[in-house]
């Protein structure tokens, strides 16, 4: 299965999520935006949109965001799976007409998440209520019309959602490795240093406590999403075979 990965910044790669997908047999084709203005041409069975430091509507400074929103709508219209992470989730919300705006408080570091109900998603089966996942965001979004909320917390309500059967948005970062998280400390702003003076030490402690469980969750997520990609591709192939020539 060929999967297009939109990587907005070099500091946020597909990480351990990509490793698990490759183990299953995925071929990942990364559009690293700082190196090229348009995505690589080809046939893709699924789309992953990663995080980034920009706002989801900052088109003047990052014109590729319009193209990404178009890609999300295109994959959705074709019934192909889409997975958006952090900025990617915000871009899904934007693509479906919802507002993206600054959250009341940022989420930096591992924060607890809670399933909204008895989950239907295979990757949320047995999710321990309150299990922390890595966060690094200042913005949030209104839930798109018809979307189903899957994970939430008190700091930022919309943590994970599904649109239809093939579009998923995650506000948190399941893809990170410890090295990725530590690299992000290079992007500390004066505001972060003033308001989170011990963030580096806190992140190191949180990684020791929570990253293994986070990675186990990411493996379940990758397997379930890849199964969707395979099923979608097989269904599309059968429809093409059955169409009149």
């Amino acid at each position: 299965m060929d999967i297009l990965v939109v990587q907005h910044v070099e500091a946020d790669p597909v990480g351990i999520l990509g490793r698990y997908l490759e183990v299953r047999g995925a071929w990942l084709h990364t559009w690293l935006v700082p190196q090229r203005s348009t995505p690589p041409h080809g046939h893709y069975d699924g789309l992953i949109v990663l995080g980034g430091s920009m706002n989801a509507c900052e088109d003047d400074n990052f014109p590729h965001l319009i193209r990404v929103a178009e890609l999300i709508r295109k994959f959705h219209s074709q019934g192909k799976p889409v997975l958006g992470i952090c900025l990617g989730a915000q871009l899904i919300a934007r693509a479906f007409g919802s507002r993206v705006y600054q959250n009341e408080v940022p989420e930096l570091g591992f924060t607890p998440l809670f399933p909204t109900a008895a989950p239907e998603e295979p990757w949320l089966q047995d999710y321990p209520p309150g299990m922390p996942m890595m966060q690094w965001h200042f913005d949030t979004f209104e839930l798109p019309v018809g979307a189903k909320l899957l994970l939430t917390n008190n700091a930022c309500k919309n943590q994970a959602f599904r649109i239809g059967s093939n579009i998923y948005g995650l506000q948190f970062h399941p893809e990170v490795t410890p090295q990725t998280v530590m690299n992000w400390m290079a992007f500390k702003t004066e505001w972060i240093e003033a308001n989170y003076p011990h963030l580096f030490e806190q992140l190191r402690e949180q990684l020791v406590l929570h990253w293994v469980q986070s990675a186990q969750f990411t493996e379940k997520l990758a397997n379930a999403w890849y199964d969707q990609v395979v099923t979608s591709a097989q269904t599309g192939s059968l429809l093409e075979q059955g169409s009149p020539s």
Side-chain angles (χ1 to χ4, degrees):
M1 298 290 106
D2 291 279
I3 295 170
L4 176 62
V5 179
V6 180
Q7 183 177 340
H8 302 274
V9 293
E10 294 186 3
D12 190 9
V14 70
I16 194 169
L17 173 65
R19 295 181 204 170
Y20 287 134
L21 290 170
E22 288 174 333
V23 167
R24 288 293 308 276
W27 290 89
L28 304 182
H29 305 262
T30 299
W31 174 19
L32 183 55
V33 174
Q35 295 184 3
R36 57 182 299 167
S37 59
T38 59
H41 294 291
H43 170 86
Y44 301 109
D45 304 295
L47 173 67
I48 297 174
V49 185
L50 297 172
S53 55
M54 62 284 295
N55 177 277
C57 300
E58 205 174 341
D59 297 343
D60 289 343
N61 294 323
F62 303 97
H64 78 278
L65 295 173
I66 298 174
R67 182 65 182 273
V68 176
E70 292 172 348
L71 277 174
I72 291 168
R73 289 190 290 267
K74 178 182 178 181
F75 274 71
H76 175 63
S77 68
Q78 295 173 341
K80 295 179 179 180
V82 176
L83 177 62
I85 295 172
C86 197
L87 173 62
Q90 296 163 10
L91 283 167
I92 291 174
R94 170 188 172 172
F96 284 86
S98 292
R99 183 171 68 102
V100 180
Y101 58 95
Q102 187 172 341
N103 198 36
E104 291 184 3
V105 294
E107 285 189 290
L108 303 174
F110 283 79
T111 64
L113 302 181
F114 300 87
T116 56
E120 303 170 3
E121 320 301 325
W123 49 277
L124 285 178
Q125 299 295 323
D126 304 318
Y127 188 97
M131 187 179 85
M133 295 296 294
M134 179 63 194
Q135 308 265 9
W136 192 286
H137 70 99
F138 293 81
D139 292 341
T140 186
F141 51 87
E142 294 175 351
L143 205 64
V145 174
K148 181 175 181 179
L149 186 63
L150 303 174
L151 288 171
T152 189
N153 69 13
N154 291 330
C156 182
K157 178 182 178 182
N158 298 327
Q159 292 286 348
F161 65 92
R162 185 189 75 224
I163 299 175
S165 61
N166 65 317
I167 309 292
Y168 289 91
L170 311 178
Q171 182 57 75
F172 55 97
H173 284 277
E175 82 285 8
V176 294
T177 65
Q179 187 60 55
T180 301
V181 175
M182 289 295 98
N183 288 344
W184 289 353
M185 293 304 297
F187 300 94
K188 284 192 305 181
T189 63
E190 291 183 2
W191 186 92
I192 291 176
E193 290 183 352
N195 291 273
Y196 293 81
H198 305 294
L199 182 59
F200 181 78
E201 293 80 7
Q202 291 169 351
L203 285 174
R204 286 197 303 180
E205 293 175 1
Q206 291 174 352
L207 285 165
V208 172
L209 291 172
H210 305 307
W211 185 75
V212 170
Q213 191 176 28
S214 166
Q216 291 170 345
F217 164 82
T218 303
E219 183 176 15
K220 292 179 66 174
L221 169 67
N223 287 335
W225 191 76
Y226 188 74
D227 287 342
Q228 276 202 331
V229 173
V230 172
T231 300
S232 171
Q234 292 174 341
T235 302
S237 177
L238 289 173
L239 289 174
E240 289 180 3
Q241 294 175 16
S243 61
S245 57

